[in-house]
């Protein structure tokens, strides 16, 4: 019983210390400190989600590894490519897509659970969109272990390809943040947007070369040319896996980022009414 009591006491001390840290960060003014608050909330969320687990957040990694292995063996046969060639392709594609879709889908409901903080404590609504973004960035940090291990043991990428893919990865992450803000604000204002976003994300997953390689739709290139997800994947996956930069996709991705950035800026300007929408 003494051991149980000691563990309970330690948990209370840790929780109290984190609550004091939360209040200290929240009390500081400035956008920089609000970003720190967002990251602290995301870290706190992930930590306490797996507080009583033996391997903690690495359950995320294990679940991703199992899914990639099972689907990889099946869809490599469907795509008519070898397992060794398909697994790294699918692993990195699925992990990055999970980051994009998870952030976007969760952003549509993130303010609904933060109403008390916004109304009673006066925390800006955008803090919780950043919290959602940082939480999925932490998930990505765990999931990315799977494709890294596959690249180490199976090959398929080089250091040069990794550095060449960095600009595309940064654009991909920036698009994810802007898209999550836009969909999040719209879904908070209009509740019909949330199921619409989920449906569109599911459709985009099936219609994009994630579980299948682009050669599967040879002769029907229009299925790829007019899909923005294809270009967002190509700007980093091309340099990483093939050593080739698809400049056409790079230009389309930059244009998409510019449009989404303007929409996100306008959406954030409307968040002053968030307390009335919740």
């Amino acid at each position: 019983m003494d051991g149980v009591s000691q563990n309970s006491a330690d948990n209370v001390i840790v929780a109290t210390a984190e609550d004091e840290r939360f209040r200290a960060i929240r009390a500081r003014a400035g956008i920089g400190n609000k970003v720190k608050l967002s990251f602290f909330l995301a870290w706190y969320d992930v930590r306490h989600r797996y507080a009583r687990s033996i391997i903690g957040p690495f359950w995320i990694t294990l679940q991703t590894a199992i899914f990639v292995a099972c689907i990889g063996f099946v869809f490599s046969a469907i795509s008519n490519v070898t397992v060794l060639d398909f697994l790294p392709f699918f692993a990195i594609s699925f992990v990055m897509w999970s980051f994009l879709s998870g952030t976007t889908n969760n952003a549509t409901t993130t303010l609904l659970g933060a109403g008390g903080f916004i109304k009673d404590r006066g925390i800006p609504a955008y803090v919780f969109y950043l919290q959602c973004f940082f939480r999925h960035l932490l998930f990505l940090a765990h999931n990315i272990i799977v494709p890294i291990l596959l690249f180490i043991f199976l090959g398929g990428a080089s250091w040069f390809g990794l550095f060449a893919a960095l600009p595309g990865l940064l654009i991909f992450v920036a698009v994810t943040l802007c898209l999550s803000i836009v969909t999040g604000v719209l879904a908070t204002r209009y509740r019909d947007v949330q199921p619409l976003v989920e449906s569109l994300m599911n459709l985009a997953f099936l219609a994009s070369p994630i579980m299948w390689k682009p050669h599967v739709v040879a002769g029907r290139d229009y299925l790829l040319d007019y899909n923005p997800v294809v270009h967002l994947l190509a700007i980093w996956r091309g340099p990483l896996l093939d050593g080739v930069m698809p400049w056409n996709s790079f230009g389309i991705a930059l244009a998409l980022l510019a449009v989404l950035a303007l929409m996100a800026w306008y959406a954030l300007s409307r968040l002053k009414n968030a307390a009335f929408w919740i």
Side-chain angles (χ1 to χ4, degrees):
M1 293 295 293
D2 292 339
V4 175
S5 300
Q6 182 62 39
N7 290 335
S8 300
D10 292 341
N11 291 336
V12 171
I13 292 173
V14 170
T16 302
E18 289 182 340
D19 189 55
E20 290 178 355
R21 184 183 174 191
F22 167 75
R23 288 197 296 269
I25 297 175
R26 182 170 62 88
R28 300 171 188 168
I31 295 179
N33 287 309
K34 292 298 184 287
V35 173
K36 292 179 181 179
L37 175 61
S38 302
F39 184 80
F40 172 80
L41 290 172
W43 180 271
Y44 185 87
D45 185 19
V46 174
R47 177 179 176 180
H48 282 266
R49 182 175 299 189
Y50 299 94
R52 302 184 186 278
S53 172
I54 295 176
I55 64 174
F58 287 98
W59 271 113
I60 306 169
T61 309
L62 182 59
Q63 290 170 337
T64 300
I66 294 173
F67 182 81
V68 166
C70 294
I71 298 299
F73 279 97
V74 174
F75 277 82
S76 62
I78 295 176
S79 300
N80 197 27
V81 294
T82 64
V83 174
L84 296 181
D85 182 43
F86 183 77
L87 273 179
F89 168 88
F90 172 60
I92 190 63
S93 303
F94 175 72
V95 165
M96 296 304 296
W97 168 260
S98 296
F99 170 65
L100 171 63
S101 63
T103 306
T104 304
N105 285 331
N106 284 170
T108 60
T109 58
T110 193
L111 287 194
L112 301 182
F117 290 99
I118 296 173
K119 295 177 181 178
D120 301 334
R121 300 194 182 187
I123 298 178
Y126 71 83
V127 167
F128 299 98
Y129 290 124
L130 290 177
Q131 177 197 4
C132 176
F133 173 76
F134 284 133
R135 180 170 64 246
H136 285 275
L137 204 59
L138 291 172
F139 290 158
L140 175 62
H142 287 85
N143 284 333
I144 203 68
I145 296 173
V146 176
I148 288 176
L149 291 177
L150 289 174
F151 286 137
I152 291 174
F153 291 105
L154 301 181
S158 63
W159 285 108
F160 173 78
L162 177 61
F163 286 114
L166 285 179
L169 286 171
L170 291 176
I171 293 174
F172 186 90
V173 171
V175 166
T176 300
L177 175 60
C178 293
L179 180 63
S180 65
I181 291 174
V182 172
T183 57
V185 173
L186 283 173
T188 305
R189 178 63 179 88
Y190 305 102
R191 299 301 166 84
D192 293 331
V193 172
Q194 189 262 336
L196 176 62
V197 170
E198 286 188 353
S199 299
L200 290 175
M201 297 304 287
N202 290 334
L203 179 61
F205 176 70
L206 296 174
S208 303
I210 298 171
M211 292 197 302
W212 45 273
K213 283 205 164 188
H215 74 268
V216 172
V217 293
R220 299 182 180 181
D221 293 340
Y222 61 88
L223 296 175
L224 303 177
D225 294 339
Y226 298 104
N227 184 346
V229 177
V230 173
H231 300 291
L232 289 175
L233 294 173
I235 58 175
W236 57 264
R237 198 168 60 185
L240 179 64
L241 300 180
D242 304 322
V244 177
M245 174 62 75
W247 292 110
N248 181 54
S249 294
F250 199 85
I252 293 173
L254 281 176
L256 180 62
L257 175 59
V259 172
L260 285 174
L262 289 174
M263 294 176 65
W265 175 80
Y266 178 75
L268 289 173
S269 70
R270 305 296 298 173
L271 274 180
K272 59 186 178 181
N273 299 318
F276 301 100
W277 299 343
I278 301 171

